[in-house]
């Protein structure tokens, strides 16, 4: 219980809060740069680099120096005083080919993405107790951001990274390309399709509760291995998928959910309420029995999620590629709104099997929580 107790304390401050002042000297004075791509964020690629002074490996994010990138780096810098946010080590202002760039040196998260990690450990049963531990760390990061009055707006598994390969490694949140300080209601449609809250899809304004919806989607996938909402055609997003999101149409199929405690299903249903005013708040989630460890958790019963994620890993990779293409069309300026470009449909066997399975389950009476309305 000590971890749970420490989780609710104020985030640990690792450096004094101060304004971001990028260094002007060449980054190559201090780091050896590599062409190895570690990942791709909303605004740029993440490469590997090594400190000349310490020999320590770091991650380097290269951004075109524009106001939007400045905001991203500033918000990430302000947020990374938490143990559950990927740390920024250095920031440089350099020019390449006549173009001004921001070079952001971050701690290297060598443990990989959340779902990739679960896939890799599919031979070891992933239990609900472990899922609850993961959820606590995500909540710690999100709670810290909301405490700073920041909305992340792109909470998804690809942005949740493990520090190391160790089984008990800490999980941290990264990529602040869509993040925003919430001084008033927001209206810009920044999102990744699977995890988008219904209010973000429409013309209405929204607030930090959009992150709570995304948390609900992640927990759903964490516990069963597939998303509650997806495009049946295999496209990144479709009119039918948007409609199901806006109506909150999803189920808990018995095959994957029968061994999962009812408490976490109730919590997820509370997070996936289409009306933001009725959705669980961060404070309510932090006090929820499943999160605090005071409720019923099935510690030994293996979840289906690890097996489903491992079996369909290549399908997840294809889907992530489609998401990346869609995401590129969703970068919007503060004063401009760009419509999401419709993607060419692709065959996606994972989603097709899930769709057929749900159709079969829908015809079979089962004690399902949160059935489609």
């Amino acid at each position: 219980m000590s971890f749970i107790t420490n989780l609710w304390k104020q985030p640990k401050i690792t450096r004094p809060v101060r304004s971001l002042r990028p260094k002007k000297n060449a980054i190559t004075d201090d780091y050896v740069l590599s062409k190895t791509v570690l990942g791709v964020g909303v605004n740029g690629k993440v490469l590997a680099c090594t400190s000349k002074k310490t020999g320590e490996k770091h991650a380097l994010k290269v951004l075109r120096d524009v106001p939007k990138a400045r905001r991203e780096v500033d918000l990430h810098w302000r947020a990374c005083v938490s143990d559950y946010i990927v740390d920024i080590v250095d920031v440089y202002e350099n020019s390449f080919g006549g173009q001004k760039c921001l070079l952001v040196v971050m701690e290297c998260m060598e443990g990989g993405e959340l779902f990739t990690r679960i896939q890799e450990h599919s031979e070891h049963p992933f239990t609900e107790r472990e899922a609850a531990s993961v959820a606590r760390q995500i909540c710690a990061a999100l709670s810290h951001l909301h405490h700073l009055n920041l909305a992340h707006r792109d909470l998804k598994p690809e942005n949740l990274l493990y520090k190391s390969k160790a089984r008990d490694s800490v999980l941290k949140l990264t990529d602040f390309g869509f993040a925003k300080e919430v001084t008033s209601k927001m209206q810009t449609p920044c999102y990744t399709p699977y995890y988008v809250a219904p209010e973000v899809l429409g013309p209405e304004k929204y607030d930090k509760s959009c992150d709570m919806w995304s948390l609900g989607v992640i927990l759903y996938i964490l516990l069963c291995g597939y998303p509650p909402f997806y495009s049946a055609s295999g496209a990144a997003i479709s009119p039918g998928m948007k409609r199901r999101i806006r109506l909150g149409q999803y189920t808990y199929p018995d095959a994957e959910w029968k061994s999962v405690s009812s408490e976490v299903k109730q919590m997820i249903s509370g997070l996936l309420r289409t009306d933001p005013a009725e959705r669980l708040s961060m404070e309510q989630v932090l006090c929820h029995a499943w999160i605090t460890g005071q409720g019923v958790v099935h510690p030994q019963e293996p979840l289906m999620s690890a097996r489903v994620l491992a079996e369909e890993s290549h399908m997840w990779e294809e889907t992530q590629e489609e998401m990346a293409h869609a995401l590129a069309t969703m970068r919007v300026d503060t004063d401009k709104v760009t419509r999401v470009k419709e993607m060419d449909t692709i065959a996606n066997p994972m989603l097709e099997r899930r769709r057929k399975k749900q159709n079969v389950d829908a015809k079979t009476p089962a004690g399902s929580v949160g059935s489609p309305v």
Side-chain angles (χ1 to χ4, degrees):
M1 289 293 290
S2 60
F3 173 77
I4 300 171
T5 303
N6 290 335
L7 190 62
W8 313 140
K9 294 180 180 179
Q10 288 294 323
K12 177 183 175 183
I13 302 299
T14 57
R15 63 163 174 257
V17 177
R18 62 182 187 272
S19 299
L20 175 63
R21 293 187 178 88
K23 296 179 179 179
K24 306 289 186 179
N25 63 295
I27 188 173
T28 50
D29 293 344
D30 305 318
Y31 294 90
V32 177
L33 308 188
S34 167
K35 293 183 179 180
T36 302
V37 178
L38 301 177
V40 180
V42 171
N43 286 326
K45 289 183 177 180
V46 180
L47 308 173
C49 67
T50 305
S51 169
K52 290 183 177 180
K53 183 177 181 180
T54 66
E56 187 176 359
K57 184 179 178 181
H58 295 284
L60 172 65
K61 190 167 188 177
V62 182
L63 301 169
R64 191 162 56 93
D65 192 355
V66 295
K68 188 175 297 299
R70 289 268 172 171
R71 287 194 295 273
E72 173 183 345
V73 177
D74 180 63
L75 294 179
H76 192 164
W77 174 264
R78 288 164 54 188
C80 69
V81 294
S82 167
D83 290 337
Y84 298 96
I85 306 291
V86 172
D87 194 27
I88 292 179
V89 180
D90 276 318
V91 180
Y92 292 81
E93 286 181 8
N94 285 181
S95 293
F96 295 96
Q99 189 173 70
K100 290 180 63 179
C101 294
L102 287 175
L103 306 175
V104 187
V105 180
M106 301 177 289
E107 65 176 316
C108 189
M109 304 298 290
E110 297 186 297
E113 298 174 5
L114 172 59
F115 287 171
T116 301
R117 175 70 162 268
I118 295 173
Q119 292 169 22
E120 292 172 349
H121 289 81
S122 60
E123 69 278 8
H124 303 296
F126 182 67
T127 67
E128 190 176 330
R129 177 166 288 172
E130 288 180 290
S133 176
V134 169
R136 291 181 197 115
Q137 295 180 77
I138 300 173
C139 287
L142 200 54
S143 175
H144 173 61
L145 291 189
H146 289 188
H147 178 72
L148 296 176
N149 208 31
L150 302 180
H152 188 272
R153 299 201 296 179
D154 199 24
L155 187 65
K156 60 183 179 180
E158 296 92 320
N159 290 338
L160 292 162
L161 308 175
Y162 281 99
K163 176 62 178 175
S164 72
K165 295 289 186 180
R167 184 94 177 187
D168 60 350
S169 173
V170 65
L171 185 68
K172 300 191 179 189
L173 177 62
T174 191
D175 199 344
F176 284 66
F178 281 162
K180 183 176 176 61
E181 185 170 15
V182 185
T183 55
S184 60
K185 290 277 188 175
M186 299 172 285
Q187 198 164 16
T188 307
C190 298
Y191 60 86
T192 298
Y194 278 177
Y195 312 96
V196 60
E199 65 270 20
V200 181
L201 288 172
E204 60 264 41
K205 295 183 178 181
Y206 61 95
D207 57 23
K208 290 180 293 187
S209 64
C210 65
D211 287 339
M212 305 308 295
W213 174 281
S214 301
L215 174 63
V217 173
I218 290 173
L219 294 183
Y220 185 103
I221 303 173
L222 188 65
L223 290 159
C224 73
Y226 55 87
F229 309 99
Y230 48 79
S231 169
S233 67
I237 195 166
S238 66
M241 178 177 169
K242 288 182 180 181
R243 179 180 58 80
R244 287 188 294 275
I245 290 173
R246 293 196 68 101
L247 294 176
Q249 291 183 334
Y250 66 98
T251 59
Y252 295 100
D254 198 55
E256 293 84 13
W257 289 89
K258 62 182 177 182
S259 299
V260 179
S261 65
S262 60
E263 285 184 324
V264 69
K265 294 177 191 176
Q266 292 165 358
M267 188 178 77
I268 291 172
S269 295
L271 288 166
L272 296 183
R273 288 176 182 158
T274 56
D275 184 347
E278 297 178 358
R279 195 173 301 154
L280 290 181
S281 67
M282 192 72 254
E283 292 74 16
Q284 289 173 316
V285 171
L286 292 178
C287 294
H288 195 280
W290 190 79
I291 290 291
T292 62
Q294 297 173 343
V296 175
V297 173
H298 300 162
Q300 303 302 327
E301 188 74 26
L303 296 169
M304 294 288 289
S305 51
R307 193 175 79 184
V308 173
L309 287 168
E311 288 175 351
E312 310 290 358
S313 60
H314 62 294
M315 300 307 167
W316 274 102
E317 289 171 6
E318 288 181 8
T319 302
Q320 286 182 351
E321 288 180 9
E322 288 299 300
M323 293 294 181
H325 289 307
L327 198 60
T329 72
M330 287 184 249
R331 278 315 306 153
V332 292
D333 294 327
T334 305
D335 303 322
K336 300 176 182 177
V337 175
T338 304
R339 282 188 172 274
V340 178
K341 187 185 298 182
E342 292 297 332
M343 302 299 303
D344 293 332
T345 60
I346 61 169
N348 193 320
M350 179 189 78
L351 299 185
E352 181 64 18
R353 283 199 290 273
R354 296 262 65 84
R355 185 180 65 81
K356 289 179 179 178
K357 185 173 184 58
Q358 287 192 345
N359 287 340
V360 171
D361 289 341
K363 297 175 183 179
T364 306
S368 173
V369 182
S371 303
V373 294

